[in-house]
């Protein structure tokens, strides 16, 4: 757990921030009203974007690799895309699968989909084979828009997709259709679905979490309007993948809330990051914690301070890096937030206090938990118990009419995330699965992630998905996967304990080749321990906890191997490997 995290927030901390917020007060007040949006209100992503285009049509909206679209041009292009999608049968309430890398066409497709009242199903273009097939199955899409750069992913499917519209064909057809705003856009209500965002679950296969227009609107008001507070002169640089909520909800809603400019990067590059920020005239950027560490690991450059960036917004910046990151790159504000794709609560550092994930006005509880199961612990009376101020516990968010849990496409998966009758009969809480510190005055600090899902390189990794991939290694009979901490690195690195067939030997190159073929790069474990046996009793989970605690301790039982990269595969462990990982020297993926 983070010992450098701020234990509590004081009234003095809050008061000290108020003068700096004064200049943003008009915009904050204007956006605050959207926090009150009701499920039946006419409020949607497409409508807010459309209104922005009408208000300032000549202001830059999107920049990408030297190209620029004004708000008016982008809205017209989105409308043409929407007309093409409608001609292909997309109607209000339908789902459109979207499998594209970062480029303007991807953003236009998403906006066109939601303007029609359809749902954008954002597919992770790192997925392959059965995992991607499963994700497509959850969407139940009437049409899939796919970029040519993702053709290889499509070829790994056992069954072809029945209704595919290549992005290039969509763009070509859009050049010859009308660009008027779709009439349906003004009829869409806040309760309707906007996005399906994939998140890993304990089943090992992705779950499709629902983002409604209501929750997106509240994000626009809370994170964008009250927290980030962009204006028409700002440009926010985003190099995170568009299938992430950090890009399509946090970054996009902040831009729309402030009438600002969205600068889209194809992908993150630690060496080119500040050059691209400068080229795009960025005044803000969106991050995940790993991005910040990678930037700090770069040697000092002139561009560290030659940019015009004054703030950043994101989640996962470790407290011990906060001051160094802010001071080295000359940032006025770090707007850390806490939220989950499927969650019904978000925290935002609106008061610009260091080392906090921020504040929320929504009801939540931080409760005692069972370390072995990761579930909320109940007392003798059957009720939950809150931790003391400054303490660490499991974060629960209360489910109410104004703060609903939209859940997943799978009803059983949705119910499994709810805690009922927690403090009194009839109440209902969403279990975030995260450990946080209670910092007082509605503030929290993120501490750790519980359960079978861990986070590495900005992605959620489901242990059972990785365990399934070990089935492609002939010598392996069983595998147990878990996340382990590496000092100086964000998230948890993957580790596996495996057993082999009698008489078999472990071949590190063969194992790495099989895992790279079946998993996204970020999900390939960094450590593998070969052991004689793995317990498979009713207490297996407690054994998994024990394995996690042993981690990559060289004195633990078995033979430990570490990932040197795609070519060299797994090699015998050596003492400096964790430090090499933290410094970005290995693995060479």
């Amino acid at each position: 757990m983070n010992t450098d995290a701020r234990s509590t927030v004081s009234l003095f901390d809050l008061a000290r921030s108020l003068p700096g917020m004064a200049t943003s007060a008009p915009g904050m007040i204007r956006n605050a009203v959207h926090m009150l949006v009701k499920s039946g209100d006419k409020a949607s992503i497409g409508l807010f974007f459309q209104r922005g285009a009408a208000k300032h049509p000549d202001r830059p909206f999107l920049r990408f690799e030297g190209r620029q679209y004004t708000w008016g041009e982008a809205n017209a292009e989105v409308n043409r895309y929407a007309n093409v999608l409608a001609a292909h049968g997309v109607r209000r309430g339908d789902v459109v699968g979207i499998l594209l890398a970062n480029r303007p066409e991807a953003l236009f497709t998403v906006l066109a989909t939601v303007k029609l009242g359809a749902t954008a199903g954002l597919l992770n273009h790192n997925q392959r084979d059965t995992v991607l097939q499963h994700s497509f199955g959850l969407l139940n899409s009437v049409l899939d828009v796919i970029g040519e750069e993702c053709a290889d992913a499509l070829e790994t499917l056992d069954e072809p997709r029945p209704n595919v519209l290549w992005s290039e064909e969509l763009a070509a057809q859009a050049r010859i259709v009308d660009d008027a705003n779709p009439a349906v856009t003004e009829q869409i209500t806040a309760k309707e679905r906007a996005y399906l965002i994939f998140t890993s679950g304990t089943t090992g296969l992705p779950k499709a979490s629902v983002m409604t227009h209501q929750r997106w609107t509240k994000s626009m008001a809370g994170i964008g309007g009250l927290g980030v507070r962009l204006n028409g002169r700002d440009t926010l640089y985003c190099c995170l993948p568009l299938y992430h909520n950090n890009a399509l909800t946090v970054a996009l809603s902040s831009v729309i809330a402030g009438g600002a400019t969205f600068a889209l990067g194809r992908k993150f590059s630690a060496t080119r990051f500040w050059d691209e920020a400068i080229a795009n005239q960025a005044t803000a950027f969106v991050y995940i914690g790993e991005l910040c560490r990678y930037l700090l690991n770069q040697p000092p450059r002139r561009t560290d301070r030659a940019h015009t960036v004054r703030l950043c917004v994101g989640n996962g910046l470790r407290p011990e890096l906060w001051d160094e990151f802010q001071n080295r790159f000359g940032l006025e504000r770090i707007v850390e937030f806490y939220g989950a794709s499927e969650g019904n609560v978000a925290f935002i550092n609106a008061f610009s206090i260091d080392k906090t994930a921020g504040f929320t006005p929504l009801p939540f509880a931080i409760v005692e938990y069972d370390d072995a199961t990761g579930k909320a612990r109940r007392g003798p009376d059957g009720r939950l118990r809150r931790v003391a101020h400054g303490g660490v516990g499991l974060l629960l968010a209360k489910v109410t009419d104004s703060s609903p849990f939209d859940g997943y496409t799978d009803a059983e998966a949705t119910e499994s995330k709810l805690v009922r009758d927690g403090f009194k009969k009839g109440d209902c809480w969403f279990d975030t699965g995260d450990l946080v510190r209670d910092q007082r005055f509605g503030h929290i600090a993120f501490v750790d992630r519980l359960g079978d899902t861990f986070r590495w390189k900005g992605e959620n990794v489901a242990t059972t998905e990785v365990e399934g991939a070990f089935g492609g290694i002939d010598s392996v009979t069983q595998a147990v996967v878990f996340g382990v901490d590496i000092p100086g690195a964000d998230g948890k690195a993957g580790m596996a304990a495996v057993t082999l067939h009698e008489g078999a030997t472990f071949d590190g190159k063969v194992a790495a080749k099989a895992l790279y073929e079946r998993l996204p790069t970020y999900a390939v474990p960094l450590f593998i321990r070969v052991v004689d046996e793995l317990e498979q009793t009713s207490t297996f989970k407690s054994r998994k906890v024990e394995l996690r605690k042993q981690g990559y301790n060289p004195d633990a039982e078995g033979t430990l191997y570490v990932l040197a990269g795609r070519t060299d595969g797994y090699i015998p462990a050596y003492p400096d490997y964790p430090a090499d990982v933290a410094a970005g020297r290995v693995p060479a993926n």
Side-chain angles (χ1 to χ4, degrees):
M1 295 181 183
N2 259 325
T3 56
D4 296 326
R6 172 187 290 271
S7 295
T8 59
V9 169
S10 68
L11 284 173
F12 174 74
D13 293 322
L14 299 175
R16 187 173 52 186
S17 70
L18 293 178
M21 300 172 69
T23 57
S24 302
M28 294 173 68
I29 295 171
R30 184 176 64 251
N31 278 284
V33 68
H34 296 307
M35 290 289 292
L36 305 175
V37 64
K38 298 178 181 178
S39 60
D41 291 346
K42 303 289 177 61
S44 67
I45 300 168
L47 185 60
F48 288 118
F49 169 63
Q50 188 170 292
R51 287 173 176 170
K55 186 175 181 180
H56 33 72
D58 298 324
R59 185 180 295 173
F61 170 72
L62 178 63
R63 294 194 182 109
F64 178 80
E65 297 182 349
R67 282 185 279 169
Q68 179 169 292
Y69 300 82
T70 66
W71 278 76
E73 290 169 342
N75 185 58
E77 186 75 346
V78 167
N79 291 342
R80 287 191 287 266
Y81 272 51
N83 277 321
V84 175
L85 294 179
H88 282 267
V90 176
R91 299 290 182 267
R92 186 176 180 179
D94 288 339
V95 176
V96 176
I98 300 173
L99 183 63
L100 287 97
N102 277 20
R103 49 192 177 95
E105 295 81 3
L107 185 58
F108 294 157
T109 303
V110 171
L111 289 171
T113 299
V114 297
K115 267 202 165 195
L116 291 173
T119 303
L122 283 307
L123 292 148
N124 181 335
H125 52 71
N126 292 295
Q127 292 179 351
R128 296 291 186 275
D129 199 46
T130 55
V131 178
L132 182 59
Q133 188 81 51
H134 172 81
S135 297
F136 270 119
L138 291 180
L139 291 183
N140 192 28
S141 51
V142 299
L143 181 71
D144 298 321
V145 178
I146 298 175
E148 288 187 351
E149 70 277 14
C150 300
D152 63 326
L154 207 63
E155 291 171 359
T156 67
L157 302 181
D158 290 334
E159 302 174 6
R161 298 301 300 162
N163 297 302
V164 170
L165 176 60
W166 293 99
S167 176
E168 290 67 20
E169 295 177 17
L170 170 56
Q173 293 174 28
R175 286 194 283 269
I176 56 173
V177 296
D178 186 62
D179 64 0
N181 291 322
V184 69
T185 304
E186 296 193 11
Q187 303 304 315
I188 299 166
T189 58
K191 65 184 176 184
E192 296 178 53
R193 300 192 309 183
Y195 306 148
L196 291 176
I197 301 287
F198 284 93
T199 178
S200 298
T202 54
T203 63
L205 290 171
K207 294 183 291 186
S209 65
V210 177
M211 170 65 70
T212 63
H213 290 280
Q214 181 181 25
R215 194 149 63 90
W216 189 95
T217 299
K218 288 187 175 184
S219 175
M220 181 184 71
I223 296 179
L226 302 181
V228 183
R229 308 195 291 271
L230 300 179
N231 59 56
R233 298 179 299 279
D234 281 317
T235 296
L236 187 149
Y237 175 56
C238 173
C239 56
L240 301 179
L242 287 174
Y243 59 74
H244 268 190
N245 257 327
N246 282 44
L248 277 185
T249 296
V250 176
L252 182 61
S253 74
S254 296
V255 166
I256 292 178
T261 303
F262 191 99
L264 180 64
R266 192 176 293 272
K267 62 181 180 179
F268 169 68
S269 168
T271 57
R272 298 194 308 272
F273 181 87
W274 292 112
D275 291 323
E276 293 185 4
I278 292 168
N280 282 289
Q281 305 166 49
T283 58
F285 66 85
V286 62
Y287 68 85
I288 53 175
E290 292 86 344
L291 182 153
C292 300
R293 185 178 294 280
Y294 294 150
L295 292 178
L296 281 174
N297 283 339
Q298 292 294 302
R301 292 189 177 93
R302 178 192 63 81
T303 50
D304 287 355
R305 286 278 188 135
H307 56 80
T308 55
V309 174
R310 59 185 175 85
L311 68 91
C312 57
V313 55
N315 61 326
L317 177 58
R318 290 286 187 101
E320 67 268 22
L321 299 180
W322 192 292
D323 292 338
E324 181 185 1
F325 189 75
Q326 187 166 16
N327 293 333
R328 173 173 169 179
F329 300 115
L331 303 174
E332 295 176 16
R333 297 174 55 222
I334 296 177
V335 190
E336 177 83 0
F337 76 90
Y338 169 89
S341 296
E342 70 273 38
N344 65 328
V345 68
F347 293 75
I348 182 71
N349 188 17
F351 296 96
S352 304
I353 299 171
D354 65 325
K355 301 176 184 178
T356 177
F359 160 85
T360 187
L362 300 173
F364 67 93
I366 303 173
V367 301
E368 297 178 0
Y369 66 98
D370 187 317
D371 185 56
T373 65
K375 299 297 183 182
R377 178 184 294 149
R378 295 181 184 264
D381 60 355
R383 302 304 185 200
L384 305 177
R385 300 186 174 206
R386 298 177 188 264
V387 302
H389 291 314
V392 172
L394 176 64
L395 175 64
L396 304 179
K398 192 168 187 179
V399 179
T400 66
D401 290 340
S402 59
S403 184
F405 173 48
D406 299 321
Y408 310 98
T409 54
D410 185 325
E412 185 177 342
T414 297
E415 183 60 31
S416 70
K417 295 292 290 183
L418 298 177
V419 177
R420 299 187 182 277
D421 303 324
F423 296 98
K424 62 181 181 180
K425 186 173 178 59
D427 65 6
C428 182
W429 302 79
F430 168 66
D431 181 351
T432 67
D434 289 332
L435 294 181
V436 301
R437 186 181 302 279
D438 182 354
Q439 295 179 307
R440 301 180 69 205
F441 300 109
H443 284 72
I444 65 165
F446 177 79
V447 175
D448 203 359
R449 183 177 293 271
L450 287 172
D452 285 339
T453 298
F454 59 90
R455 194 167 180 84
W456 182 244
K457 293 191 175 181
E459 301 281 355
N460 288 338
V461 181
T463 58
T464 46
E465 177 185 338
V466 183
E467 288 165 359
F470 274 89
I473 305 173
D474 293 338
S475 62
V476 173
T477 56
Q478 297 172 252
V480 174
V481 175
F482 44 93
V484 293
D485 289 306
I486 293 181
D490 294 299
K492 291 182 181 292
M495 181 170 181
V498 304
T499 57
L500 306 180
H501 287 287
E502 186 174 353
T505 58
F506 181 77
D507 187 317
K509 289 188 176 181
V510 170
K513 183 176 184 295
L515 294 174
Y516 273 113
E517 286 176 349
R518 304 186 70 176
L519 293 169
T521 300
Y522 58 77
V524 177
L526 268 60
F527 302 90
I528 293 180
R529 188 185 299 281
V530 178
V531 297
D532 291 333
E533 63 178 352
L534 289 169
E535 187 175 332
Q536 274 196 325
T537 67
S538 59
T539 60
F540 183 74
K541 277 197 176 290
S542 63
R543 174 60 176 159
K544 194 165 187 176
V545 170
E546 183 181 335
L547 288 169
R548 189 184 296 116
K549 289 180 178 178
Q550 289 176 352
Y552 45 87
N553 184 341
D555 297 326
E557 65 173 290
T559 305
L560 183 64
Y561 297 86
V562 295
L563 182 64
R566 188 184 294 269
T567 302
D568 295 331
Y570 290 94
I571 62 174
Y574 58 92
D576 291 336
Y577 182 78
D580 285 346
V581 172
R585 291 187 287 268
V586 293
N589 293 328

